[in-house]
């Protein structure tokens, strides 16, 4: 969700949409249950990730938040494309869930060249995905806190707070303090962020099937391998950005162990 553009510049709207999602339904419809439910937070293997932050569906509360924000009946366009097997079906599920709280989502399917083309940073609501970084602070530096990738920037007050916390976390040599600060950033993302991560899908490779609930493994070439998420699913690298992004307007990471 582009947090600088209406209606997603209001945290109540962002939270309402998150509360509307039937995550079990999304997991079943999009992966036939081959994965685990997620709670809109990326990098679940990263130090500081809190499994206690759980987003449970609450349609009544979601409707109330939309009313408070004055956005009942709001209509938004969700731009999606063939970036993964789950991307388009997930958008369809999200649109159906949103209708139950009084929000209309028009799913617009485009090719990847259009999705990640000149308009990419101007989409109000779109799919995107970042490869797992193994560290939440690293991912945030590349996305929400980046000086060049502004699509997912939070409002200025939150941006300043997150940057301050991130700088302190990366500067400290105290592991416990770094974890505490990372957990604080995760909490802000959970309460007011713009990413929607309904589930983490299992990933099948040529060497093994990586399950979303499984631990990290090592591939034959010696690199660390972990399950990836279902923010969409990784498209090819984009030379404009140097790395591949993913999210339903916010998603990324891997599945919890």
């Amino acid at each position: 969700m582009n947090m600088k553009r209406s209606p997603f510049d209001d945290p109540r709207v962002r939270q309402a949409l998150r509360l509307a999602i039937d995550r079990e339904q999304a997991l079943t419809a999009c992966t036939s249950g081959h994965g685990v439910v997620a709670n809109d937070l990326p990098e679940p293997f990263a130090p500081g990730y809190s499994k206690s932050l759980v987003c449970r569906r609450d349609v009544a509360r979601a409707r109330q938040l939309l009313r408070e924000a004055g956005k009942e009946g709001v209509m938004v366009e969700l731009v999606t494309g063939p970036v993964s097997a789950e991307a388009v079906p997930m958008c369809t599920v999200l649109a159906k869930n949103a209708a139950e709280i009084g929000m209309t989502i028009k799913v617009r399917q485009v090719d990847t060249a259009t999705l990640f083309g000149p308009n990419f940073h101007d989409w109000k609501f779109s799919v995107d995905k970042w490869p797992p970084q193994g560290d939440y602070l690293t991912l945030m530096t590349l996305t929400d806190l980046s000086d060049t990738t502004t699509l997912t920037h939070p409002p200025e007050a939150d941006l300043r707070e997150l940057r301050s916390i991130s700088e302190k976390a990366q500067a400290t040599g105290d592991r416990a303090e770094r974890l505490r600060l990372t957990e604080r950033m995760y909490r802000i993302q959970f309460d007011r962020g713009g990413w929607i991560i309904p589930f983490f899908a299992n990933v099948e490779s040529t060497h093994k099937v990586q399950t979303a609930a499984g631990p990290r493994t090592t591939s034959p070439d010696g690199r660390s391998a972990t399950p990836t998420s279902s923010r969409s699913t990784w498209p090819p690298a984009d030379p404009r950005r140097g790395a591949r992004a993913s999210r339903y307007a916010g998603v990324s990471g891997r599945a919890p162990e």
Side-chain angles (χ1 to χ4, degrees):
M1 291 173 277
N2 189 329
M3 293 180 280
K4 299 254 175 142
R5 299 188 60 188
S6 177
F8 299 120
D9 55 347
D10 191 322
R12 293 170 296 186
V13 176
R14 302 195 296 269
Q15 198 64 12
L17 187 51
R18 285 171 157 184
L19 289 171
I21 302 169
D22 186 332
R23 296 165 194 271
E24 292 287 354
Q25 178 192 37
L27 178 65
T28 300
C30 301
T31 72
S32 298
H34 298 297
V36 295
V37 166
N39 297 285
D40 306 319
L41 297 175
E43 298 292 346
F45 285 127
Y49 180 85
S50 177
K51 295 180 180 178
S52 65
L53 298 177
V54 177
C55 188
R56 294 183 174 86
R57 191 175 199 228
D58 189 334
V59 172
R61 175 59 178 158
R63 287 174 177 162
Q64 179 184 350
L65 286 169
L66 277 188
R67 284 196 301 270
E68 292 174 358
K71 298 298 182 181
E72 288 180 287
V74 67
M75 182 173 69
V76 295
E77 180 181 76
L78 172 53
V79 184
T80 187
V83 295
S84 76
E86 300 89 12
V88 176
M90 180 57 239
C91 292
T92 301
V93 171
L94 184 57
K96 290 179 179 178
N97 291 163
E100 296 181 54
I101 66 168
M103 177 185 288
T104 299
I105 293 179
K106 297 182 67 175
V107 178
R108 175 186 172 194
Q109 187 171 351
V110 299
D111 57 40
T112 53
T114 301
L115 178 62
F116 297 112
N119 294 322
F120 177 70
H121 291 285
D122 293 323
W123 299 132
K124 185 177 292 187
F125 195 21
S126 64
V127 297
D128 183 18
K129 192 163 193 167
W130 280 96
Q133 302 298 314
D135 180 77
Y136 181 58
L137 297 177
T138 299
L139 180 68
M140 288 292 283
T141 299
L142 293 170
T143 56
D144 286 23
L145 308 185
S146 171
D147 289 325
T148 56
T149 304
T150 60
L151 174 65
T152 62
H153 273 188
E156 289 302 321
D158 286 346
L159 183 60
R160 287 194 299 271
E161 182 180 6
L162 285 166
R163 280 178 169 162
S164 176
I165 298 171
S166 178
E167 289 169 4
K168 291 175 183 177
Q170 296 190 63
T172 185
D174 185 327
R175 184 174 182 276
E177 177 65 4
R178 181 184 174 94
L179 286 175
R180 185 188 71 79
L181 291 167
T182 302
E183 288 170 358
R184 187 174 162 194
M185 291 179 68
Y186 265 122
R187 181 81 230 191
I188 293 172
Q189 176 68 254
F190 183 78
D191 290 338
R192 306 193 293 275
W195 297 12
I196 295 177
I197 312 176
F199 56 81
F200 295 108
N202 295 344
V203 177
E204 184 173 347
S205 72
T206 55
H207 305 299
K208 60 176 68 65
V209 174
Q210 300 170 3
T211 64
R216 298 177 182 175
T217 58
T218 301
S219 60
D221 61 4
R223 293 178 297 178
S224 174
T226 50
T228 56
S229 85
S230 113
R231 267 216 248 182
S232 299
T233 295
W234 330 110
D238 184 336
R240 291 179 297 102
R241 294 186 287 165
R244 171 38 60 215
S246 150
R247 104 182 19 190
Y248 283 107
V251 186
S252 153
R254 296 158 295 185
E257 297 172 312

